[in-house]
Amino acid sequence: MSHDSEEPDAFEGDWWVTTEPGGVIKCSTRRCHNNLHAFRLQRTPRNRPYRYGECIECGFDDIDWNRLDKRDIHDLEYTNRSLDLEMIRYYYRRVPIEPRVVADAVDMGLDELRTGARTRLSKVIGPPLAQTYRGGFTPWKGNLVYYAQHRTATCCRRCLEEWHGINRKTELSNRHLEYFTELILQYAQERVPPLIS
């Protein structure tokens, strides 16, 4: 139940099963009483980082941002636990993926998926924010890489700055692109087990 009323909360139970990608779940959606937060202000003042560092509603601040900023592929357990504290990231780790998307990913295989993810990241979020289309816009569904990008906060330069501490005005390095590609592949293998090589 919602803490504000006696009406049933649409986000109780297995809400991610019945909630469509791109619907009511946005980067600012939160249910703090369920430990599902939002960490980025909807509007960020000019020249201020998108990383706010605490929940925009309740002030929850139990994430070690310095640890995340190391972007250590061997520390993905902590990265995933931290991402699970933001409602939209939690959602994309659990939402049912369209059967066609799963079939396409399996047909592609891990190597082709890796190449596609790297190419997409390089083109869509690789350049500085000012050189991207709408900040590196990623559709809500339709491709396994899109799901992975929303889960891993690699969907746009704003989310990337919020979660991974990379200034939106800088170009991503090859090292960054390699790390984010591996983050996406880890998600893909978790969600689509036939991709495990």
Side-chain angles (χ1 to χ4, degrees):
M1 297 292 264
S2 170
H3 65 286
D4 297 326
S5 73
E6 294 304 314
E7 293 297 315
D9 190 330
F11 297 107
E12 295 294 333
D14 293 345
W15 55 269
W16 55 89
V17 174
T18 57
T19 306
E20 275 289 308
V24 296
I25 303 289
K26 306 287 185 216
C27 292
S28 60
T29 308
R30 64 249 181 220
R31 291 296 181 275
C32 300
H33 61 283
N34 291 333
N35 207 26
L36 296 172
H37 306 278
F39 296 100
R40 193 185 82 216
L41 295 171
Q42 288 179 294
R43 295 192 181 274
T44 302
R46 187 178 296 265
N47 296 321
R48 180 169 178 219
Y50 280 102
R51 178 175 287 167
Y52 188 60
E54 61 185 49
C55 178
I56 61 176
E57 181 173 316
C58 73
F60 175 87
D61 66 352
D62 198 22
I63 292 177
D64 185 345
W65 299 102
N66 291 325
R67 184 172 174 180
L68 291 177
D69 288 351
K70 292 177 183 172
R71 295 178 283 283
D72 181 355
I73 203 70
H74 302 293
D75 199 17
L76 288 184
E77 184 178 334
Y78 182 77
T79 301
N80 278 315
R81 276 198 325 265
S82 299
L83 288 165
D84 271 346
L85 293 169
E86 187 164 57
M87 189 165 188
I88 190 169
R89 314 299 163 206
Y90 180 94
Y91 170 76
Y92 270 96
R93 189 172 190 188
R94 289 155 182 83
V95 65
I97 298 173
E98 304 150 89
R100 179 190 57 78
V101 169
V102 171
D104 288 350
V106 171
D107 287 347
M108 271 194 276
L110 202 56
D111 290 338
E112 192 175 331
L113 193 64
R114 175 182 279 110
T115 301
R118 171 68 184 248
T119 300
R120 176 163 175 76
L121 291 173
S122 182
K123 288 181 180 177
V124 176
I125 65 165
L129 180 72
Q131 295 174 23
T132 62
Y133 171 68
R134 294 173 59 187
F137 176 76
T138 296
W140 296 108
K141 60 182 182 175
N143 183 306
L144 187 59
V145 173
Y146 302 161
Y147 283 86
Q149 284 185 269
H150 288 296
R151 163 58 185 171
T152 60
T154 59
C155 44
C156 69
R157 289 307 299 259
R158 293 171 186 90
C159 290
L160 196 74
E161 185 173 277
E162 171 197 353
W163 273 98
H164 303 288
I166 300 173
N167 188 300
R168 63 189 178 270
K169 296 178 183 178
T170 62
E171 187 164 348
L172 296 185
S173 68
N174 282 329
R175 185 172 172 269
H176 292 143
L177 291 168
E178 286 169 18
Y179 173 76
F180 296 130
T181 300
E182 289 306 313
L183 208 56
I184 284 173
L185 291 177
Q186 184 264 346
Y187 171 89
Q189 290 175 303
E190 177 185 310
R191 296 302 312 276
V192 183
L195 289 171
I196 296 173
S197 55

